[in-house]
């Protein structure tokens, strides 16, 4: 008979097995309970994956476990976390495997979204061995809200390892992992959205503050400094440079330079790349951003793309800035720390910021240009009368605080300059003035101020001189230098200058008085025979006498009709057809021949004679218009220049209307030209008079637009008909539209305001072509005709009433 165990033995064995099963289940339940509690404190995806693989699955007695996550962009399952032979340290997976949907047991579980248990892998055809052959495998898909998140996969060396209890507990773990990962992803998305929103707000604030710098009256260094601080809010910028290409010196300069390795260096004294071979130069000339690591810097340098200047950074980022033709440069950040590396998103950010910086600097450059135009002579580039007065006034204030300071003003003009203009033309005259200005600059110190006060009149201001001889010796050097002929365009001209010198000894007098005294001394030099200098002598001050004589001569000229009008044709830019004239006053003095307006208009305005001259000109112009109409049947439009004082007077409107009625001239053929000064001084009266004139169909022209004070501030408040572009903006213009931004801007502004544009001083074909390209309406200048006497003017008008091809 076979040996049979007693019932008591079988009972004991079954009881021990059940107790072992209960203990295992209890252990697994404890693991599950601990995991549920632990999930409450886990926040990130990485924490959840690590804890699941190592703290949960690892305690279940499995040989290893790998968690795959579904990657939507690549449509693959990628190993993310592991327990066992697949991991050497937290956060990394050795030889991470990637599977397609349906590939292997893991891919099949993801595809079918069902738990798969393989008890004998040796006979499983779809088994994909990872690092070692296993006996059995369990794969459970991680699903949340019907969306595949990934797969928890476990392998064991033994066959038939996984029990129903293992599967039940791991399925519960997987369910909790799915919910927690979905929650972690949602939190991550929310945090990312909040972070992006905060970053966007910070970026918007930075860009707003960059734009606001336009309206701050600060030098470029201060602007660069504030840009640095703003950029530092967005990325690591302990080392920050602004590189600029200096076209005059042909080198790369660093007007703003902060280097964390050299904190002792002044930020406004950066290095200079004379050869223009550095990395910043590469960015500027290629107009391309550059993002390089230390190794890439060395490789590119060895290849010859650029040279390394200074210490090599661990990470280097430079982006171009381009503020038009006047400013080309780069913004650069770099770091010496191996812990910081600039990324592609930093390049995109800095490039985006640089475009706003470029716009800011473009406006700043334009602002500086306009400031320069307001304070400098457009022909010679020297200081103008306003800046010269300011410099002298400033010196007088300093002299009040500091004794033993000596200053001097030298006043001079080019002797017989009018003769040069009449003989050679304005182009040669302008060239001579430029050469004369250059000569004065060469003879003076950098501390001194050289100014062109108008026409051929120049002045020098010598500050902090030790003795009177300093000014006298300078005058002698200038007179001596002019003994050599000056090459002005094609002409070789020998000229001289008369110089008046006034010293500043009494700070109670004004800058204007000092300049007047030097001017008086100049006339004393002319009276002594020209080509010499004279010191101001109050006993010989004939200014008052000269003024008295000039006033008497003007009264005589009005009574004897010595003033005559010449008429400069106004031409249609597109067709070359003559459309009218500008009436210009000339003084035919019985003893001094022709006297230019600039020699008597200022005096007439100062001594209240200008209204009489204006009425004289208006009467003569309307009288001539009436005569032309009677003799030819045609009514050319004629504009007359009116002084600001007269235009703002109470009787001006009545004068114009009564003269129009007297000579029966159509009102729409008369134009009144006024300057910006006339408008600004008495704006309300000027605005009212303009409206009255236009109500009577009389055209109003704003003369010398762009050279005044604050055109754009008041222009939109006036109902003008015509803007006249001053000849300083026309002179020398050539090339395409981009080369002439001021002309294009004025024409565009006029078009937007429905105004006609007249360009003055057209003397070359190139200048005419620029005006045609810009869409300018009308022009006048020597290229077509000088101002002509009345009989020649109407003849010119009649001959130019048909289209002139190529005009």
């Amino acid at each position: 008979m076979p040996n049979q165990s007693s019932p008591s033995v079988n009972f004991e064995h079954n009881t021990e097995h059940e107790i072992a099963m209960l203990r295992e289940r209890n252990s697994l339940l404890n693991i599950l309970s601990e995991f549920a509690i632990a999930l409450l404190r886990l926040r990130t995806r990485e924490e959840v994956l690590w804890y699941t693989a190592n703290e949960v699955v690892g305690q279940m007695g499995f040989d290893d476990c790998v968690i795959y996550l579904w990657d939507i962009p690549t449509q693959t399952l990628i190993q993310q976390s592991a327990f066992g032979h697949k991991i050497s340290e937290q956060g990394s997976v050795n030889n991470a495997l990637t599977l397609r949907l349906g590939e292997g047991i893991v891919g099949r579980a993801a595809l079918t979204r069902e738990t798969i248990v393989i008890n004998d892998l040796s006979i499983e055809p779809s088994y994909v061995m990872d690092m070692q052959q296993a006996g059995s495998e369990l794969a459970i898909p991680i699903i949340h809200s019907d969306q595949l998140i990934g797969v928890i996969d476990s392998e064991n060396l033994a066959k038939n390892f996984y029990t129903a209890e293992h599967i039940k507990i791991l399925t519960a773990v997987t369910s909790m992992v799915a919910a927690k990962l979905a929650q972690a992803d949602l939190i991550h998305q929310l945090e990312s959205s909040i972070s992006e929103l905060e970053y966007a707000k910070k970026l918007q604030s930075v860009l707003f503050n960059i734009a606001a710098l336009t309206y701050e009256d600060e030098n470029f260094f201060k602007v660069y400094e504030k840009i640095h601080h703003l950029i530092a809010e967005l990325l690591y910028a302990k080392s920050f440079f602004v590189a600029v290409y200096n076209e005059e010196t042909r080198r790369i300069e660093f007007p703003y330079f902060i280097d964390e390795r050299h904190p002792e260096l002044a930020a406004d004294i950066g290095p200079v790349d004379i050869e223009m071979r550095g990395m910043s130069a590469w960015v500027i000339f290629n107009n391309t951003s550059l993002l390089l690591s230390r190794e890439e810097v060395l490789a590119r340098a060895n290849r010859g793309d650029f040279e390394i200047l200074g210490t090599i950074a661990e990470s280097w980022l430079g982006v171009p800035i381009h503020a038009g033709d006047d400013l080309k440069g780069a913004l650069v950040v770099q770091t010496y720390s191996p812990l910081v590396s600039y990324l592609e998103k930093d390049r995109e950010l800095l490039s985006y910021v640089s475009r706003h910086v470029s716009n800011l600097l473009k406006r700043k450059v334009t602002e500086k240009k306009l400031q320069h135009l307001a304070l400098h002579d457009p022909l010679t580039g020297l200081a103008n009368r306003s800046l010269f007065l300011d410099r002298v006034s400033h010196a007088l204030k300093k002299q009040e605080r500091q004794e033993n300071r000596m200053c001097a003003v030298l006043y001079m003009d080019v002797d017989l300059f009018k003769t040069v203009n009449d003989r050679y033309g304005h182009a040669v005259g302008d060239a001579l003035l430029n050469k004369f200005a250059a000569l004065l600059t060469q003879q003076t110190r950098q501390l001194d101020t050289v100014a062109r006060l108008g026409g051929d009149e120049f002045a020098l201001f010598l500050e902090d001189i030790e003795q009177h001889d300093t000014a006298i010796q300078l005058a002698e050097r200038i007179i001596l230098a002019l003994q050599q002929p000056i090459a002005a365009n094609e002409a070789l001209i020998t000229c001289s200058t008369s110089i008046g010198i006034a010293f500043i000894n009494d700070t109670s007098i004004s800058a204007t008085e000092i300049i007047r005294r030097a001017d008086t001394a100049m006339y004393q030099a002319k009276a002594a025979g020209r080509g010499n200098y004279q010191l101001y002598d109050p006993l010989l001050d004939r200014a008052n006498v000269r003024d008295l004589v000039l006033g008497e001569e003007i009264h005589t000229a009005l009574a004897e009709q010595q003033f005559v009008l010449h008429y400069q044709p106004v031409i249609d830019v597109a067709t070359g057809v003559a459309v009218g004239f500008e009436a210009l006053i000339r003084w035919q003095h019985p003893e001094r021949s022709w006297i230019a307006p600039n020699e008597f208009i200022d005096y007439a305005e100062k001594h209240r004679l200008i209204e009489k001259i204006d009425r004289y000109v208006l009467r003569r112009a309307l009288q001539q218009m009436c005569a032309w109409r009677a003799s030819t049947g045609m009514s050319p439009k004629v504009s007359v220049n009116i002084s600001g004082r007269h235009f703002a007077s109470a009787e001006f409107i009545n004068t114009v209307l009564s003269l129009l009625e007297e000579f029966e001239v159509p009102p729409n053929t008369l134009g009144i030209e006024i300057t910006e000064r006339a408008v600004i001084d008495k704006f309300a009266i000027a605005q009212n008079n303009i409206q009255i004139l236009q109500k009577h169909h009389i055209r109003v022209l704003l003369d010398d637009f762009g050279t005044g004070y604050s055109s754009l501030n008041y222009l939109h408040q006036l109902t003008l008909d015509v803007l006249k572009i001053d000849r300083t903006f026309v002179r020398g213009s050539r090339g395409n539209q981009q080369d002439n931004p001021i002309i294009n801007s004025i024409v565009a502004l006029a078009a937007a305001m429905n105004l006609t544009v007249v360009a003055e001083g057209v003397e070359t074909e190139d200048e005419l072509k620029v005006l045609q390209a810009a869409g300018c309406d009308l022009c006048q200048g020597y290229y077509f005709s000088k101002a002509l006497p009345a009989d020649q003017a109407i003849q010119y008008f009649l001959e130019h009433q048909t289209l002139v091809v190529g005009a």
Side-chain angles (χ1 to χ4, degrees):
M1 293 181 64
N3 185 25
Q4 295 180 348
S5 300
S6 66
S8 62
V9 172
N10 287 335
F11 175 78
E12 289 176 0
H13 176 76
N14 290 335
T15 301
E16 289 177 357
H17 179 71
E18 289 177 0
I19 290 172
M21 291 287 290
L22 288 171
R23 285 176 178 170
E24 181 182 5
R25 177 177 294 179
N26 186 57
S27 176
L28 292 174
L29 288 173
N30 285 336
I31 293 171
L32 192 62
S33 175
E34 290 176 3
F35 182 60
I37 295 171
L39 283 180
L40 296 175
R41 61 177 174 79
L42 301 177
R43 287 183 54 80
T44 67
R45 169 186 288 191
E46 290 71 20
E47 290 175 341
V48 173
L49 295 177
W50 170 261
Y51 192 89
T52 301
N54 290 270
E55 301 299 328
V56 179
V57 181
Q59 293 184 43
M60 294 176 68
F62 298 172
D63 284 345
D64 64 42
C65 171
V66 179
I67 301 178
Y68 292 78
L69 291 184
W70 176 243
D71 185 61
I72 295 176
T74 62
Q75 294 288 291
T76 58
L77 292 156
I78 304 173
Q79 291 179 343
Q80 297 290 332
S81 188
F83 160 77
H85 64 274
K86 286 289 290 183
I87 189 165
S88 57
E89 60 182 27
Q90 181 174 346
S92 67
V93 176
N94 297 329
N95 303 315
L97 191 65
T98 299
L99 298 174
R100 298 186 302 277
L101 203 64
E103 182 181 2
I105 297 167
V106 171
R108 208 164 78 219
L111 178 64
T112 61
R113 302 195 177 192
E114 294 180 353
T115 298
I116 297 177
V117 183
I118 306 297
N119 289 315
D120 186 358
L121 291 174
S122 63
I123 60 173
E124 172 57 43
S126 64
Y127 172 58
V128 176
M129 188 177 73
D130 193 350
M131 297 185 69
Q132 63 181 14
Q133 179 67 41
S136 54
E137 184 172 356
L138 170 61
I140 302 178
I142 307 171
I143 307 292
H144 183 78
S145 297
D146 202 35
Q147 298 294 320
L148 176 66
I149 296 177
V151 175
I152 295 181
D153 179 59
S154 176
E155 295 183 1
N156 200 280
L157 295 177
K159 297 178 182 179
N160 301 306
F161 174 77
Y162 300 101
T163 66
E165 198 65 32
H166 286 148
I167 296 171
K168 183 178 180 181
I169 296 298
L170 193 57
T171 299
V173 167
T174 303
S175 177
M176 286 189 285
V177 168
K180 189 63 181 180
L181 287 177
Q183 182 191 52
D185 284 345
L186 179 60
I187 292 172
H188 177 72
Q189 290 174 11
L190 288 173
E191 288 176 344
S192 296
S193 297
I194 293 171
S195 177
E196 289 176 3
L197 180 61
E198 290 177 347
Y199 186 81
K201 288 173 64 178
K202 184 181 290 186
L203 177 60
Q204 183 180 24
S205 174
V206 166
L207 297 179
F208 176 80
N209 288 330
I210 287 174
L213 293 177
T214 304
Y215 307 101
E216 295 185 15
D217 185 19
E218 294 183 329
N219 58 38
F220 275 91
F221 174 80
K222 286 293 185 183
V223 170
Y224 295 141
E225 184 178 47
K226 290 190 175 182
I227 289 171
H228 176 201
H229 293 157
L230 291 169
I231 287 175
E233 295 182 26
L234 302 173
L235 48 78
Y236 189 88
K238 286 189 176 181
S239 293
F240 175 81
F241 319 139
V242 178
V244 172
Y245 171 55
N246 188 323
E247 192 168 359
E248 292 183 5
T249 60
R250 296 188 60 81
R251 62 187 190 178
I252 302 296
E253 298 172 350
F254 293 81
Y256 185 85
F257 187 89
I258 295 290
D259 191 339
E260 59 183 309
R261 282 278 180 91
H262 301 284
E264 75 283 355
L265 296 178
D268 58 345
I269 307 176
V272 176
D273 183 4
I274 298 175
E275 300 296 328
M276 296 187 293
R277 287 284 299 149
M279 296 163 69
S280 299
W282 191 96
V283 170
I284 293 170
F285 295 128
N286 288 278
N287 197 29
T288 304
S289 61
L290 201 59
L291 171 59
L292 300 174
S293 65
R294 178 186 179 88
E295 293 72 22
E296 290 169 332
V297 169
L298 291 170
R300 293 281 294 267
N302 290 333
R303 199 170 70 191
D305 290 354
F306 45 71
E307 294 177 2
I308 298 174
L309 306 177
T311 308
I312 303 175
E314 292 294 328
S315 187
W316 195 94
L317 172 59
V319 298
I321 49 176
H322 196 289
D325 294 334
D326 298 294
L327 196 154
K328 296 182 180 70
L331 301 179
V332 178
V333 290
Q334 69 176 27
T335 175
Y336 300 104
S337 171
L339 301 177
V340 179
S341 293
Y342 297 112
L343 305 175
E344 190 61 38
K345 68 181 185 68
D346 297 316
R347 187 215 297 255
E348 293 175 1
L349 168 68
L350 196 57
S351 297
Y352 181 63
V353 170
S354 77
R355 290 194 288 272
H356 289 266
V357 171
S358 297
N359 293 334
L360 160 69
L361 295 179
K362 190 179 295 184
R363 291 192 291 269
K364 278 288 182 185
V365 168
T366 302
E367 179 185 297
K368 293 295 181 185
K369 272 187 166 181
L370 292 175
Q371 289 176 355
H372 188 273
L373 282 173
L375 297 174
H376 292 78
D377 171 52
L379 175 64
T380 63
L382 299 178
N384 62 11
R385 182 179 291 272
S386 296
L387 181 56
F388 191 78
L389 271 169
D390 182 71
R391 295 275 174 86
V392 177
S393 299
H394 185 66
L396 285 170
K397 290 178 182 177
K398 285 199 297 185
Q399 197 168 13
E400 289 177 357
R401 299 189 300 268
Q402 302 176 19
E403 297 180 357
N404 301 321
R405 293 171 57 88
M406 187 181 299
C407 305
V409 171
L410 281 69
Y411 201 109
M412 67 205 73
D413 67 2
V414 180
D415 292 331
L416 302 177
F417 178 72
K418 184 177 181 301
T419 304
V420 174
N421 258 350
D422 291 343
R423 180 176 178 183
Y424 298 101
H426 287 291
V428 172
D430 287 350
L432 176 60
L433 293 177
N434 268 316
K435 289 294 183 70
F436 187 76
L439 182 149
L440 296 179
T441 303
Q442 292 166 5
Q443 296 293 335
T444 52
R445 306 169 300 171
Q446 192 171 6
L447 173 65
D448 302 331
T449 299
V450 184
R452 181 188 178 209
L453 304 185
D456 63 329
E457 295 183 341
F458 294 80
L460 308 178
F461 176 54
L462 312 185
E463 190 172 358
D464 285 336
I465 57 176
E466 295 182 357
Q467 53 189 359
H468 290 81
D469 283 351
T470 303
I472 294 171
Q473 290 168 4
L474 173 60
E476 291 174 342
R477 290 199 306 272
I478 293 171
I479 292 169
L480 181 63
L482 284 174
Q483 292 180 3
Q484 299 297 322
I486 295 176
N489 287 0
E490 302 294 324
L492 197 63
I493 298 171
T494 300
C495 64
S496 63
T497 183
S498 302
I499 303 176
I501 305 174
F503 294 100
I504 300 176
N505 300 312
D506 182 0
T507 58
S508 65
I509 63 175
S510 66
T512 303
E513 174 59 18
I514 291 293
I515 295 170
R516 190 201 68 79
R517 291 181 179 184
D519 182 21
T520 300
M522 181 191 74
Y523 277 96
Q524 294 169 3
K526 285 184 178 296
R530 294 191 174 92
N532 68 92
Y533 70 87
Q534 290 289 325
L535 304 182
Y536 171 73
D537 184 348
L539 297 177
L540 299 176
D541 188 345
R542 303 298 183 188
N544 293 331
V545 175
R546 189 182 72 238
D547 282 355
L548 180 60
V549 172
L550 182 58
E552 291 174 351
E553 289 184 330
I554 289 175
H555 281 288
T556 301
L558 288 168
E560 296 179 0
Q561 297 189 359
Q562 294 175 10
F563 294 116
V564 296
L565 299 187
H566 286 186
Y567 300 86
Q568 184 167 46
V570 177
I571 307 298
D572 186 297
V573 170
T575 64
V577 171
V579 298
F581 301 96
E582 178 183 2
L584 299 171
I585 190 171
R586 299 290 186 263
W587 186 358
Q588 192 172 19
H589 194 280
E591 298 176 0
R592 299 163 55 192
S593 186
W594 291 100
I595 299 177
N598 64 323
E599 295 188 32
F600 62 88
I601 290 296
D602 286 346
Y603 174 88
E605 288 187 335
K606 187 188 302 183
H607 294 84
R608 311 286 303 208
L609 290 172
I610 195 66
E611 291 93 336
K612 292 183 178 180
I613 293 177
D614 281 349
R615 286 192 290 271
Y616 179 97
V617 171
L618 269 170
R619 172 172 287 277
R620 293 297 297 270
L622 290 168
Q623 188 178 33
Q624 187 60 62
M625 293 165 71
C626 179
W628 282 339
R629 189 180 186 194
S631 62
T632 67
M634 302 188 73
S635 300
K637 293 180 178 179
V638 176
S639 62
V640 177
N641 292 279
I642 297 298
S643 68
R645 183 191 296 275
H646 191 192
F647 186 79
S649 66
E651 49 83 34
F652 174 71
I653 295 294
N654 291 332
T655 299
V656 174
L657 296 179
S658 63
L659 287 172
L660 282 169
E661 184 178 359
E662 178 182 347
F663 293 105
E664 299 180 346
V665 171
N668 65 344
T669 61
L670 175 64
I672 300 298
E673 293 198 19
I674 56 176
T675 63
E676 295 183 46
R677 166 67 81 178
V679 175
I680 286 187
D681 281 352
K682 295 185 178 180
F683 184 84
I685 297 175
Q687 188 179 38
N688 182 62
N689 283 355
I690 289 172
Q691 291 173 353
I692 295 173
L693 290 172
Q694 291 185 324
K695 182 179 178 181
H696 289 85
H697 309 292
I698 301 167
R699 294 171 300 119
V700 180
L701 299 81
L702 187 63
D703 198 11
D704 301 335
F705 180 76
T707 62
Y709 303 88
S710 53
S711 310
L712 299 182
N713 291 337
Y714 63 77
L715 187 58
H716 70 282
Q717 301 180 50
L718 303 175
T719 54
L720 300 165
D721 299 294
V722 179
L723 292 185
K724 300 193 74 174
I725 304 177
D726 187 78
R727 70 184 296 262
T728 56
F729 299 120
V730 177
R731 184 195 297 116
S733 57
R734 61 177 59 194
N736 55 35
Q737 283 185 292
Q738 289 74 24
D739 296 330
N740 302 277
I742 295 179
I743 291 176
N744 293 326
S745 299
I746 294 176
V747 173
L749 174 65
M753 300 183 71
N754 199 27
L755 302 177
T756 301
V757 181
V758 180
E760 297 179 293
V762 179
E763 296 189 2
T764 67
E765 185 177 5
D766 284 339
E767 293 169 356
L768 176 62
K769 288 180 178 178
V770 167
L771 297 173
Q772 289 173 332
C776 183
D777 302 303
L778 308 171
C779 67
Q780 60 190 81
Y782 274 36
Y783 181 74
F784 294 97
S785 173
K786 64 180 181 179
L788 302 169
D791 55 343
Q792 296 178 29
I794 193 62
Q795 186 63 34
Y796 182 98
F797 182 84
L798 295 173
E799 290 172 357
H800 290 77
Q801 287 304 293
T802 57
L803 184 143
V804 180
V805 179

